[in-house]
Every structure is written in C-alpha cells, then in structure tokens.
Amino acid sequence: SAVISQKPSRDICQRGTSLTIQCQVDSQVTMMFWYRQQPGQSLTLIATANQGSEATYESGFVIDKFPISRPNLTFSTLTVSNMSPEDSSIYLCSVEETNNSWEETQYFGPGTRLLVL
Amino acid sequence: KQEVTQIPAALSVPEGENLVLNCSFTDSAIYNLQWFRQDPGKGLTSLLLIQSSQREQTSGRLNASLDKSSGRSTLYIAASQPGDSATYLCAVLSGTYKYIFGTGTRLKVLA
C-alpha cells in the first residue's frame, strides 16, 4: 500500500497570507487528490491532480484560491492563498492505487491541520 | 447526485459490546465502498474495501457488508475496546469516479 507524507503537519497562519502544503508518496501514482475537512464536517474533494496536466477543480473551488502543482508522479503541492479564518481545516492528500485485480483503493496522508487567525 | 449518510452520528458504548455502524447511499451504481477510521485531528486509515461485486469483507474484529440494491453498508465491530474510539467514515466511489464521503459516526468506547 502507498505511504503518504505531508508537510507541514500543522500550522497557524495570519489572515491574508498563503500556505503551501506538500504531499509525497513512496510510489508512482497517476491520480492524486486534495480534500478539505472543515471542523466537525466530513471530507470534501477540492481537486484532482494528474501529472502533466492542470488540476481539475470541484464546484466551489477555484485555481486562484487553491493552486496545485504536480511536477512528477510522486509529489504534489496545494497552496491555500489569501487565507481567511474560514480556511481553517484539515487538508488531506490522497492517492488511488489499482491492484492486479483492477480493484481501486484510496490511501490518505496524515493531513495538515491549518488554523487561520 | 450521490449522497452518503451515516447513522448514528455519535455512539457511546461500554467496552466489550458488539456494535453496528450504518452507511446509506442514494445511487446504487457504485464501483466500491470503503470504511475509514479517523482519530481526532489526524488523517484517515482505510479499514475495509468492498468492491461492488462483493457482499462483505472481514478484517479481525471488523466486518463490513454491502447491499448495493438497497444502498446500504454496515460496519460491525465485535468486542469493542477503548482503542476503537474514533470517527468512522464510509465513502463510495460512484459514477463520477470520485469518492463521496459520509458524515461520519463518532464512536466512544468506555472502559
């Protein structure tokens, strides 16, 4: 199974600043996903990041606010731009793996806990 | 549009009890369903994955069932322990090929 690490694990930021979150996978994967989990809520998909193409954003999320990079098959970054207290959430990176039986499993990173003051 | 609901939202049980967590989804055309565990302030750990062609999966004290036609899945935890205390999330992979998550069940097992 894929092992995923995220940096930073947590941060406290000032309103109006930006934070870039890194996601590193120990194997090459085609699809990487970024999720947000607001306090007391379930997970919401922000965007899908495929290597070599622009990220695909879900409804309610835009590239200017959440720019994503995917320079290779093991790494991605998510930037939370011009932050406000409403951006305080856990941000999770995820990858999908397909086994020899064509069964997909999704693995998640440990998350980045962001508090915006 | 796929919607996933989990009942109950919160559950508190004494140690040793067997318990059932429920997950329902509105669109039965799914590829698979996963159950996850999330500890407070942490990421997600995959517990069990059930493909659309399967009826159940087991891992240790955990058993997950899937009834696609009725849009339901259950996670059965046998002989619960305080270490099982966490939030349990189910997620379905469906037509849009994206995982849709349920609202979660917060479980507390009392010693």
Side-chain angles (χ1 to χ4, degrees), chain B residues 2-29:
Chain B
Q2 180 72 272
E3 293 183 3
V4 182
T5 306
Q6 291 184 244
I7 295 173
L11 184 62
S12 185
V13 300
E15 182 177 7
E17 267 202 16
N18 302 324
L19 55 100
V20 175
L21 308 181
N22 297 291
C23 173
S24 60
F25 45 96
T26 55
D27 184 354
S28 62

Side-chain angles (χ1 to χ4, degrees), chain A residues 37 42 58 103-104 106 110, chain B residues 34 38 43 51 97-99 102:
Chain A
Q37 186 179 30
S42 190
E58 297 300 303
E103 296 172 337
E104 294 95 8
Q106 198 163 67
Chain B
Q34 274 197 79
Q38 185 177 32
Q51 297 295 333
Y97 221 73
K98 299 181 181 87
Y99 273 98

Side-chain angles (χ1 to χ4, degrees), chain B residues 59-78:
Chain B
S59 176
R61 294 182 294 109
L62 305 179
N63 175 275
S65 67
L66 174 64
D67 184 343
K68 221 172 52 162
S69 61
S70 66
R72 292 179 188 172
S73 176
T74 61
L75 178 67
Y76 176 82
I77 303 177

Side-chain angles (χ1 to χ4, degrees), chain B residues 34-86:
Chain B
Q34 274 197 79
W35 281 94
F36 294 89
R37 169 187 173 136
Q38 185 177 32
D39 292 289
K42 306 288 186 180
L44 274 67
T45 301
S46 179
L47 297 173
L48 289 164
L49 167 69
I50 311 177
Q51 297 295 333
S52 63
S53 58
Q54 298 173 328
R55 300 282 292 185
E56 66 176 349
Q57 285 286 339
T58 299
S59 176
R61 294 182 294 109
L62 305 179
N63 175 275
S65 67
L66 174 64
D67 184 343
K68 221 172 52 162
S69 61
S70 66
R72 292 179 188 172
S73 176
T74 61
L75 178 67
Y76 176 82
I77 303 177
S80 58
Q81 304 169 357
D84 295 329
S85 298

